[in-house]
Amino acid sequence: MLSLRALRATSLWRVLAAFGFALVLVATTGTGNASAHGAISDPPSRAYDCYTRWASNWQDPAMETEDPMCYQAWQADPNAMWNWNGQLRNGVGGDHQAAVPDGTLCSAGLTENGRYAALDKPGPWKTTPVPSSFTMNLLDNSHHGADYIRVYATTQGFDPTTDVLTWGDLELVGEETNIPTSPTTPIEVNAPGRSGHHILFTVWQASHADQSYYFCSDVEFTS
């Protein structure tokens, strides 16, 4: 039979063990913000948009009819939304088209073993209304800064609801270079001659390392 001192020590060990397990659980689940990087926040990238609108109620069956594209993305891999800030590739060396082939632009070339693959699917993604000239914003949680940020828009006639995105569908409509670290980074976009649903594809080349980020944002160009 354990002595009172031994019993107390054993009980204390169990409490500490349970507490340690809880800390590990918190560190390895949830939003992934402990290792945050960043994303386009306005107009929001697909994963960030699905996260901000559904994270508090991501198992609500109403999402299937109210927001079918976010629904299929949550169903495919919830971690894609919890880790909305992780759409990156390392060591690309500026060869973005090789790292992110046609059909995989919105998933950053199927990074993280295809975690973001559902973001590549054409369909009725929710859009943000924008004029032909506006300011985009990058949410740079980790203050990486940028060697450059390039924004591309799909050409008129491209249909995001049915067409798979390729590099040939894009035109450069905005670029900023040598951007210092900051929580939010504005990028001026000028995309005339467009109306209706389009995709803005952003390449963010971070300055702290050879680390490249890729995002798709759905917009509705208004006259």
Side-chain angles (χ1 to χ4, degrees):
M1 180 178 296
L2 291 174
S3 67
L4 181 58
R5 178 178 295 179
L7 183 60
R8 287 174 176 169
T10 302
S11 299
L12 178 60
W13 181 88
R14 287 173 178 168
V15 170
L16 291 174
F19 180 70
F21 175 77
L23 289 177
V24 170
L25 186 63
V26 168
T28 56
T29 59
T31 63
N33 286 337
S35 57
H37 297 287
I40 299 299
S41 58
D42 182 27
S45 63
R46 287 179 172 177
Y48 183 71
D49 192 32
C50 291
Y51 169 79
T52 56
R53 288 189 293 108
W54 290 102
S56 63
N57 204 18
W58 68 277
Q59 293 178 312
D60 186 346
M63 192 194 324
E64 184 173 7
T65 53
E66 294 178 12
D67 195 351
M69 299 313 294
C70 280
Y71 175 79
Q72 61 87 33
W74 278 102
Q75 293 297 307
D77 192 339
N79 283 322
M81 272 57 69
W82 297 124
N83 294 277
W84 51 265
N85 44 38
Q87 288 179 243
L88 64 94
R89 304 195 71 89
N90 289 302
V92 169
D95 194 354
H96 303 294
Q97 294 193 35
V100 183
D102 287 348
T104 68
L105 277 68
C106 298
S107 65
L110 295 175
T111 193
E112 296 293 329
N113 297 314
R115 169 182 288 172
Y116 303 95
L119 304 181
D120 288 317
K121 292 184 181 296
W125 292 91
K126 296 292 186 181
T127 60
T128 300
V130 295
S132 59
S133 296
F134 68 97
T135 302
M136 173 183 275
N137 284 291
L138 168 71
L139 181 61
D140 184 2
N141 302 61
S142 294
H143 298 250
H144 287 331
D147 290 341
Y148 55 82
I149 300 174
R150 295 171 183 162
V151 183
Y152 302 82
T154 49
T155 55
Q156 190 66 20
F158 178 86
D159 187 351
T161 65
T162 59
D163 299 341
V164 174
L165 185 62
T166 71
W167 286 95
D169 299 315
L170 299 171
E171 293 178 348
L172 185 67
V173 295
E175 182 173 17
E176 303 287 348
T177 60
N178 301 319
I179 303 168
T181 59
S182 175
T184 58
T185 300
I187 309 104
E188 298 304 316
V189 174
N190 184 30
R194 291 170 172 80
S195 61
H197 186 177
H198 281 267
I199 297 174
L200 296 180
F201 178 66
T202 303
V203 178
W204 168 26
Q205 183 64 46
S207 59
H208 74 296
D210 185 5
Q211 196 170 77
S212 308
Y213 296 76
Y214 307 94
F215 308 105
C216 285
S217 302
D218 292 272
V219 298
E220 186 84 15
F221 279 108
T222 60
S223 59

